[in-house]
């Protein structure tokens, strides 16, 4: 299967404004590109790439005064497999965790695992450790939160989300991360592309998606708090402690977002978009 992913930001700034954008597919997927990613700006400016502390690809540029457009587009080969699952996967004792997993036990800007610690143990401490307990955390999120695309807020934290109400995918992710870290289970925030491939198409604007990865049985596993189901055709963009680490567009000065478009869909060898429901039905595990 081939999947085409991309984005286009259109902003307006009153003066030349430095930007840092985390929108490139992770380096691990670059061998899957059918051709180099097409990255353009209008007006044209120099784009410099570097890696942040988490290994994410960051694009650095200065938007000139006026309207500015950043666009990226690439097609990838995908193995057409659903997210891996192992119901027997076990939690790892803190003293046995690899050093680089320990940061994902700590509280962070949007993930107040310290504040929610007692609540996490009250809700999930009696459950058998392992995959099933992680799944119970996600199920709880769906009991207290209702997805509403129009309710995004940069101020809503995991503690806010724990009180219930309307939420977007990042809120589902932050709440799950807070409970898991409070239970001493390393868990990290992920954003990227997830299209309606192999599942019924949703009548809603396409956007970047947020999910999580959880450390069990010596490796990281994908869990999707928002959809609470396995998916195929995911394309990771960035990983971090929470959304603050992986902002898609950070501007060092005021900007107005005029338009924002995201796409993620299967295509044939000519680039023609295909029906997403035609994929994944035989290879789901």
């Amino acid at each position: 299967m081939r999947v085409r992913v991309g984005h286009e930001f259109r902003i307006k700034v009153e003066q030349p404004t430095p930007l840092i954008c985390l929108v490139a597919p992770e380096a691990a997927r670059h061998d899957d590109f059918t051709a180099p990613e097409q990255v353009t700006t209008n007006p044209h400016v120099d784009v410099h790439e570097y890696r942040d502390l988490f290994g994410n690809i960051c694009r650095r540029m200065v938007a000139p005064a006026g309207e500015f457009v950043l666009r990226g587009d690439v097609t990838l080969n995908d193995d057409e497999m659903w997210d891996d699952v192992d119901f027997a996967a076990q939690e790892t004792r803190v003293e046995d965790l690899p050093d680089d997993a320990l940061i994902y036990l700590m509280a962070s800007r949007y993930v107040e695992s310290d504040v929610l610690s007692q609540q996490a143990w009250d809700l999930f401490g009696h459950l058998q450790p392992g995959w099933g307990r992680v799944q119970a955390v996600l199920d709880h999120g769906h009991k207290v939160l209702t997805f509403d695309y129009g309710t995004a807020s940069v101020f809503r934290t995991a503690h806010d989300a724990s009180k219930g109400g309307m939420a977007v995918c990042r809120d589902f992710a932050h709440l799950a991360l807070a409970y898991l870290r409070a239970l001493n289970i390393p868990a990290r925030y992920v954003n990227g592309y997830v299209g309606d491939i192999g599942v019924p198409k949703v009548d809603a604007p396409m956007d970047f998606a947020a999910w999580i990865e959880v450390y069990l049985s010596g490796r990281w596993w994908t869990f999707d708090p928002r959809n609470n189901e396995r998916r195929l055709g995911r394309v990771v963009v960035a990983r971090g402690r929470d959304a603050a680490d992986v902002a898609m567009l950070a501007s060092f000065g005021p900007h107005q977002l005029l338009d924002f478009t995201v796409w993620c869909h299967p295509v044939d060898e000519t680039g023609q978009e295909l029906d997403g429901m035609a994929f994944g039905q035989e290879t789901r595990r």
Side-chain angles (χ1 to χ4, degrees):
M1 175 176 73
R2 290 187 173 189
V3 179
R4 181 180 179 185
V5 301
H7 58 274
E8 183 175 286
F9 296 92
R10 187 164 64 92
I11 66 173
K12 183 177 182 180
V13 294
E14 298 300 322
Q15 60 187 25
T17 303
L19 306 175
I20 298 176
C21 302
L22 276 71
V23 288
E26 64 169 332
R29 295 300 305 271
H30 288 195
D31 286 344
D32 296 328
F33 289 0
T34 61
E37 182 184 9
Q38 299 299 304
V39 179
T40 59
T41 67
N42 186 20
H44 173 76
V45 299
D46 291 335
V47 178
H48 166 67
E49 290 190 356
Y50 71 95
R51 302 295 182 91
D52 66 12
L53 294 174
F54 302 95
N56 302 313
I57 299 172
C58 304
R59 290 183 173 146
R60 185 176 179 182
M61 66 204 77
V62 177
E67 290 192 13
F68 179 73
V69 177
L70 170 65
R71 191 178 194 276
D73 185 71
V74 69
T75 298
L76 307 88
N77 290 310
D78 189 83
D79 61 10
E80 201 177 331
M81 301 300 291
W82 297 81
D83 298 329
D84 286 344
V85 62
D86 181 0
F87 298 118
Q90 296 298 306
E91 297 173 22
T92 302
R93 297 186 308 170
V94 173
E95 57 266 39
D96 295 329
L97 288 169
D99 296 341
D100 58 5
L102 295 177
I103 191 174
Y104 299 110
L105 290 178
M106 307 301 178
S108 57
R109 164 71 176 84
Y110 288 105
V111 179
E112 311 103 320
S113 50
D114 49 350
V115 176
L116 292 176
S117 178
Q118 187 60 56
Q119 186 180 134
W121 284 99
D122 289 344
L123 288 169
F124 312 108
H126 65 287
L127 299 179
Q128 180 71 27
W131 188 283
R133 182 152 69 167
V134 176
Q135 184 58 56
V137 169
L138 270 65
D139 292 341
H140 175 79
H142 275 255
K143 292 177 182 177
V144 300
L145 295 174
T146 301
F147 182 81
D148 185 337
Y149 181 82
T151 61
S153 169
V154 297
F155 302 108
R156 188 182 298 124
T157 68
H159 183 245
D160 298 326
S162 71
K163 301 171 185 177
M166 300 298 180
V168 295
C169 57
R170 61 183 264 163
D171 304 316
F172 282 85
H174 286 151
L175 181 59
L177 291 174
Y179 286 144
L180 292 169
R181 292 180 192 172
L183 295 168
N184 297 325
I185 306 171
R188 61 193 184 188
Y189 186 94
V190 188
N191 72 6
Y193 297 95
V194 181
D196 299 322
I197 304 174
V199 298
K201 187 174 179 62
V202 175
D203 184 18
M206 181 66 195
D207 198 350
F208 283 102
W211 61 92
I212 67 174
E213 291 175 346
V214 181
Y215 193 84
L216 298 170
S217 290
R219 57 162 286 191
W220 293 97
W221 300 85
T222 295
F223 286 84
D224 192 332
R226 153 68 181 104
N227 294 304
N228 205 19
E229 65 178 6
R230 291 149 56 215
R231 288 295 187 94
L232 97 150
R234 288 185 196 274
V235 178
V236 171
V237 168
R239 297 178 175 89
R241 293 166 296 182
D242 60 31
D245 286 334
V246 296
M248 293 168 289
L249 175 65
S251 66
F252 295 83
H255 75 271
Q256 178 185 1
L257 181 62
L258 301 177
D259 193 31
F260 174 47
T261 306
V262 176
W263 52 94
C264 176
H265 50 253
V267 295
D268 63 19
E269 293 185 358
T270 69
Q272 181 69 34
E273 182 175 353
L274 300 173
D275 180 5
M277 282 298 292
F279 294 89
Q281 300 306 307
E282 299 301 321
T283 54
R284 189 163 189 171
R285 296 175 298 184

